[in-house]
Amino acid sequence: SCDAFYRQSVRVSMGHVINVPILRVRDWRSGLSGDNDALQSKSGGLAEFITWLKAQNVQCLAAVVDDESDDKKDSQPPLISLESLTQSTTQQSWCCVLGNEGNGIRNEVIKECNQRIKISMATGIDSLSLPVAAAILMHGLGRM
């Protein structure tokens, strides 16, 4: 894990990290109790929190590497490429879920998202480091 507000993070981002809403779900496996206290403390399961975000009209995007998932393809949300995004495909408020470099995002979390999003890469390149992918996604989504 990392601290977005660590002094070096703030310095390297030239203070822009202060303007970016960042959420860290503390307990990945427990369910939300449904009360505002749980949401305010940012606790509860990520999949259930995404369900709550969608109810607030926030478009939730799951960043994925592969076109296919381990689960049935038809049970996954539609796949879009970052390059194909337009103002009409992205709502005003959005959330991009990023997994770790080794395992990505759990299928139960991907299923809760509105769409899967992928960065198109050159032939022979199969993945990017998480910080690089996050930067590309935030830049692309921030233009919308």
Side-chain angles (χ1 to χ4, degrees):
S1 76
C2 66
D3 181 2
F5 303 107
Y6 180 63
R7 64 183 177 92
Q8 285 183 311
S9 300
V10 174
R11 187 180 75 224
V12 169
S13 73
M14 299 187 321
H16 290 289
V17 70
I18 305 298
N19 298 320
V20 177
I22 297 173
L23 170 73
R24 180 176 182 201
V25 178
R26 296 175 197 258
D27 185 357
W28 289 72
R29 289 169 179 79
S30 72
L32 286 176
S33 62
D35 61 337
N36 273 342
D37 292 337
L39 298 174
Q40 293 298 326
S41 67
K42 298 174 183 68
S43 64
L46 183 57
E48 291 185 37
F49 189 77
I50 289 170
T51 301
W52 181 83
L53 283 174
K54 290 184 342 188
Q56 310 306 309
N57 294 320
V58 174
Q59 183 179 12
C60 296
L61 306 166
V64 297
V65 175
D66 299 322
D67 294 349
E68 302 282 334
S69 71
D70 294 336
D71 214 351
K72 296 177 186 172
K73 188 174 181 179
D74 60 350
S75 66
Q76 297 292 314
L79 177 71
I80 57 171
S81 70
L82 178 62
E83 298 78 18
S84 69
L85 283 179
T86 64
Q87 291 269 332
S88 62
T89 59
T90 308
Q91 293 173 310
Q92 181 69 23
S93 297
W94 53 266
C95 166
C96 187
V97 180
L98 303 162
N100 66 32
E101 291 183 22
N103 300 318
I105 306 169
R106 290 192 327 262
N107 278 328
E108 68 188 63
V109 173
I110 293 173
K111 288 178 188 177
E112 289 301 319
C113 291
N114 299 95
Q115 294 178 308
R116 294 174 296 145
I117 188 167
K118 179 180 177 178
I119 300 170
S120 300
M121 293 182 273
T123 304
I125 299 176
D126 60 350
S127 66
L128 301 169
S129 70
L130 183 62
V132 170
I136 291 169
L137 287 166
M138 296 306 115
H139 174 75
L141 290 167
R143 294 179 303 153
M144 298 299 127

